[in-house]
Amino acid sequence: MTGPVTAGQDSARAGLISGFLAGAGWQDSVLLWLPGDASFRRYARLTRGSETAMLMDAPPPLEDVRPFLAVAEHLLRLGQRAPRILARDEQAGLLLLEDFGDTTFTRALAAGAPEEPLYRDALDLLIGLHRHANASTIDLPPYDDALFLREAHLLTDWYLPAVAPEADIEAARTGLTAALTPLLALARQVPQTLVLRDYHVDNLMLLPGIQPGDGPRGLGLLDFQDAVIGPVTYDLVSLLEDARRDVPPALAATLLARYAAAFPEIDPAALDLSCRIMGAQRSMKIVGIFTRLSRRDGKHRYLTHIPRLWRLIARDLDHPALAPLSAWLDAAIPPEIRTTPETPA
């Protein structure tokens, strides 16, 4: 095996990886580590002649590959294009996966691919998944109030002290719980299904030989190890209210109408309200996550997206039912301090 196997790793981890690849028959491959993301997982592409595969290095106890395996196999049973598992060592946190190539939606869009066909395909994939009778027939945690609130409290626990060090964090947490909890019940007035949780353009792949508009079967799915069972609207707003890029409002409205037309049994008002609540909760969570990535992990590039997230939050809170959450936010984090946190010295 060639390539920087030991780069950024201790020798014991490098030895585990070498042994795993030898056992999988890929010991003579060329290995190239890919740039990292917001997690502790790392990926490398293996090349062996004309064949390629992807290595997932998810070192325990920081990561656990078992949820990824369970959801990937479930998605494959449902007819979705999750990566096929070529080899596994769950104890070591190592997986060998089918290689979907390099064309994420993000890269396709940056290269000039038309937005509407790509987003329509992604939306149609969700429609097909949500229509599948067996989508939720997997043993996954529910997206319950405790989890929603734990995520939302990332805003008060990480962002608030970064922009207002003198703030009463416990009072802010209590107020957020009181404002958000009744809304979560309203958000669940839509069907429950498999929620992938990170359904956005960075985790959607345009498979080799596929063009935008060819349909959802040409899309590969990544980064679904945190899947739960929850409202159908969560992945919908993950796609349409992207934390990392602006989705044109007219396109988002067209896609939401397309989803609503596919499910006439869902009350449109309930669908819209659930989207607003899920969107606000998700964006508040991500403001906290991006602040934590900067403060705790030294990954400051995510801070550039915080202004976009505040715009999304303001848009979602512009609904009468969300007035209590809006009032809490104005008191706890007034508009004048909704800034991008400074990079720690």
Side-chain angles (χ1 to χ4, degrees):
M1 180 173 64
T2 60
V5 180
T6 60
Q9 303 176 55
D10 59 33
S11 58
R13 190 71 189 166
L16 273 176
I17 291 172
S18 295
F20 171 72
L21 294 180
W26 285 78
Q27 66 272 20
D28 296 323
S29 61
V30 176
L31 181 151
L32 178 64
W33 291 106
L34 304 182
D37 63 5
S39 74
F40 294 103
R41 292 184 307 278
R42 299 203 311 157
Y43 293 89
R45 172 166 284 119
L46 307 179
T47 304
R48 184 180 61 184
S50 61
E51 296 179 279
T52 64
M54 296 298 296
L55 171 69
M56 179 195 289
D57 175 22
L62 298 172
E63 296 284 345
D64 183 355
V65 299
R66 291 172 298 179
F68 179 93
L69 286 169
V71 179
E73 290 167 348
H74 182 62
L75 287 169
L76 289 167
R77 288 193 296 270
L78 297 176
Q80 301 294 340
R81 286 302 311 275
R84 291 181 296 112
I85 313 300
L86 308 179
R88 66 183 77 192
D89 185 336
E90 298 174 32
Q91 237 181 353
L94 296 170
L95 300 177
L96 193 62
L97 306 172
E98 177 185 4
D99 184 6
F100 280 168
D102 292 313
T103 311
T104 63
F105 272 31
T106 300
R107 289 175 177 163
L109 290 164
E115 279 185 315
E116 196 274 338
L118 276 176
Y119 273 91
R120 186 180 65 242
D121 288 348
L123 183 89
D124 287 350
L125 190 156
L126 275 186
I127 289 172
L129 182 61
H130 295 174
R131 278 179 171 161
H132 202 296
N134 295 323
S136 58
T137 58
I138 177 174
D139 184 17
L140 289 175
Y143 219 152
D144 58 16
D145 284 6
L147 180 53
F148 275 126
L149 292 169
R150 185 161 67 247
E151 292 178 341
H153 286 152
L154 292 168
L155 179 72
T156 53
D157 294 352
W158 286 93
Y159 178 80
L160 182 55
V163 297
E166 74 289 349
D168 185 338
I169 304 303
E170 283 305 314
R173 293 177 104 254
T174 300
L176 178 53
T177 297
L180 185 56
T181 300
L183 294 175
L184 296 175
L186 297 177
R188 293 193 183 91
Q189 293 181 350
V190 295
Q192 307 291 293
T193 191
L194 174 66
V195 176
L196 302 178
R197 297 224 5 234
D198 281 308
Y199 192 78
H200 55 77
V201 293
D202 284 350
N203 293 329
L204 288 165
M205 301 292 297
L206 197 61
L207 298 177
I210 301 299
Q211 297 298 316
D214 283 355
R217 292 294 179 142
L219 309 186
L221 296 171
L222 302 177
D223 203 13
F224 41 70
Q225 62 279 341
D226 295 323
V228 291
I229 303 299
V232 295
T233 47
Y234 191 88
D235 283 344
L236 190 56
V237 297
S238 296
L239 179 69
L240 303 183
E241 299 186 11
D242 198 318
R244 295 169 179 81
R245 76 180 303 270
D246 293 320
V247 180
L251 175 59
T254 297
L255 294 168
L256 182 58
R258 182 180 180 89
Y259 185 91
F263 296 97
E265 69 276 15
I266 302 178
D267 176 44
L271 180 69
D272 176 66
L273 179 55
S274 185
C275 283
R276 300 281 195 121
I277 297 166
M278 293 292 88
Q281 185 273 349
R282 182 174 184 275
S283 291
M284 290 192 298
K285 168 185 75 172
I286 298 174
V287 169
I289 289 173
F290 285 174
T291 306
R292 183 177 66 185
L293 284 169
S294 172
R295 298 264 153 168
R296 187 190 69 184
D297 304 328
K299 298 178 179 180
H300 308 305
R301 66 185 183 274
Y302 296 95
L303 295 178
T304 61
H305 302 301
I306 284 182
R308 175 183 298 108
L309 287 159
W310 281 119
R311 292 194 298 272
L312 291 171
I313 292 167
R315 186 190 309 166
D316 283 323
L317 293 180
D318 187 23
H319 187 291
L322 276 74
L325 184 58
S326 182
W328 168 83
L329 190 60
D330 285 343
I333 311 177
E336 61 269 19
I337 66 168
R338 294 175 201 169
T339 58
T340 301
E342 295 182 4
T343 302

